[in-house]
């Protein structure tokens, strides 16, 4: 039995899709992320980053080895239970891992920041514009890739597609037009119609009900924890300093010669 800790985020959705595709038995453990429960000691013992998803595979890696980071979870599940979704070696494997890392390093972080700053465009115009433009280019790159090949890593559906699909669904919300992304739209429709993906959508919708309850019940302090605003950090002025090698000290940029 696998325990899945998470809520209704895109990163959790990709793991639900994988579990459903693999037909594995699993139990869902709701993490009230919006109320900051991911920073409690019990959860930090599973993932020191305080992020969902996390899985514990009692019949595989075991309780002593919880798996966190959604990309790592997908690799673990495919290597352990679903080799059809990640070749064991060769160019096919490299293609899957390349496009999986595109999602992990670019699409997830950039789309996530765009989702945040688009709601604060008037207060943070530079950040909003930067992530809006970067996200738009990533959507175009996905469309270009899928105009060349049926799936991101080639001819077959893999964990790279499972990872990217939950985020690519945001295209319209992000101001993109599906008619401008025809190959991406076709890929989206084909994945959306998969039975496992349909089942996953129903499960994530149920998880979303808990998230809605958490959002309504969250205190301002809990929302700060959700947004990671409770951690100590340098001031904006301190963070803007740079090290002057000649002077051997931190100086303000406008003080540089």
């Amino acid at each position: 039995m696998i325990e899945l800790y998470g809520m209704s985020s895109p990163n959790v959705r990709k793991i639900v899709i994988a579990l459903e595709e693999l037909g594995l038995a699993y139990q869902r453990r709701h993490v009230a992320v919006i109320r900051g429960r991911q920073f409690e000691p019990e959860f930090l013992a599973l993932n020191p980053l305080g992020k969902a998803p996390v899985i514990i595979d009692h019949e595989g890696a075991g309780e002593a080895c919880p798996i966190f980071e959604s990309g790592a979870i997908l690799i673990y599940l495919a290597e352990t239970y679903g080799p059809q979704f990640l070749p064991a070696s060769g160019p096919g494997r490299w293609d899957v891992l390349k496009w999986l890392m595109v999602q992990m390093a670019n699409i997830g972080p950039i789309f996530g920041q765009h989702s945040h700053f688009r709601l604060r465009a008037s207060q943070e115009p530079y950040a909003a514009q930067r992530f809006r433009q970067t996200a738009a280019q990533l959507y175009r790159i996905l469309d270009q890739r899928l105009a060349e090949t049926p799936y991101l890593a080639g001819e077959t559906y893999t964990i790279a597609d499972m990872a990217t699909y939950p985020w690519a669904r945001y295209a319209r919300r992000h101001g993109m037009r599906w008619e401008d992304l025809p190959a991406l739209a076709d890929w989206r429709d084909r994945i959306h119609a998969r039975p496992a993906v349909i089942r996953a959508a129903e499960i994530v919708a149920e998880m979303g009900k808990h998230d809605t309850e958490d959002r309504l019940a969250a205190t301002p302090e809990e929302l700060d924890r959700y947004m990671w605003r409770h951690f100590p950090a340098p001031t904006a002025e301190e963070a803007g300093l740079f090290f002057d090698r000649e002077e051997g000290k931190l100086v303000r940029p406008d003080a540089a010669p």
Side-chain angles (χ1 to χ4, degrees), residues 242-251 256-257:
F242 77 95
F243 188 74
D244 187 310
R245 291 183 180 275
E246 292 186 4
E247 295 290 332
K249 62 182 180 180
L250 291 171
V251 299

Side-chain angles (χ1 to χ4, degrees), residues 197-227:
V197 175
I198 293 171
R199 293 193 302 272
E202 295 171 352
I203 292 165
V204 173
E206 286 296 317
M207 300 168 86
K209 293 178 182 178
H210 294 296
D211 291 340
T212 298
E213 293 170 358
D214 291 339
R215 187 173 290 106
L216 293 173
T219 66
E221 292 77 15
E222 288 172 337
L223 290 174
D224 277 344
R225 289 169 68 82
Y226 169 53
M227 300 303 296

Side-chain angles (χ1 to χ4, degrees), residues 47-70:
N47 182 357
L49 295 176
K51 291 187 174 185
V54 176
I55 67 166
I56 298 177
D57 184 0
H58 294 276
E59 298 174 7
E63 294 183 23
C65 187
I67 312 295
F68 57 84
E69 285 297 315
S70 59

Side-chain angles (χ1 to χ4, degrees), residues 106-116 118 127-143 167-168 170-171 173-176 181 184:
N106 293 277
I107 292 167
I110 296 299
F111 286 13
Q113 294 296 334
H114 179 30
S115 292
H116 175 76
R118 73 188 179 92
Q129 179 180 1
R130 178 181 181 183
F131 289 113
R132 182 172 63 252
Q133 292 177 317
T134 308
Q137 180 60 9
L138 286 171
Y139 279 114
R140 287 189 285 267
I141 289 170
L142 289 175
D143 187 66
W167 288 98
Y170 283 5
R173 183 188 301 185
H174 285 166
M176 305 298 288
L181 304 165
L184 183 63

Side-chain angles (χ1 to χ4, degrees), residues 3 7 15 27 54 80 101 127 141 172 176 181 194 211 222 229 231:
E3 290 182 89
M7 66 312 178
I15 305 307
Q27 291 182 330
V54 176
T80 307
M101 292 305 112
I141 289 170
R172 190 68 192 92
M176 305 298 288
L181 304 165
R194 294 179 67 90
D211 291 340
E222 288 172 337
R229 290 193 292 251
F231 291 114

Side-chain angles (χ1 to χ4, degrees), residues 31-50:
V31 182
V33 168
I34 297 171
R35 304 197 67 182
R37 301 296 188 259
Q38 70 274 31
F39 297 116
E40 294 181 351
E42 294 80 6
F43 189 80
L44 290 174
L46 303 178
N47 182 357
L49 295 176

Side-chain angles (χ1 to χ4, degrees), residues 74-87:
L74 288 174
I75 293 170
Y76 170 81
L77 291 174
E79 290 187 337
T80 307
Y81 300 107
Q84 69 272 31
F85 298 126
L86 176 62

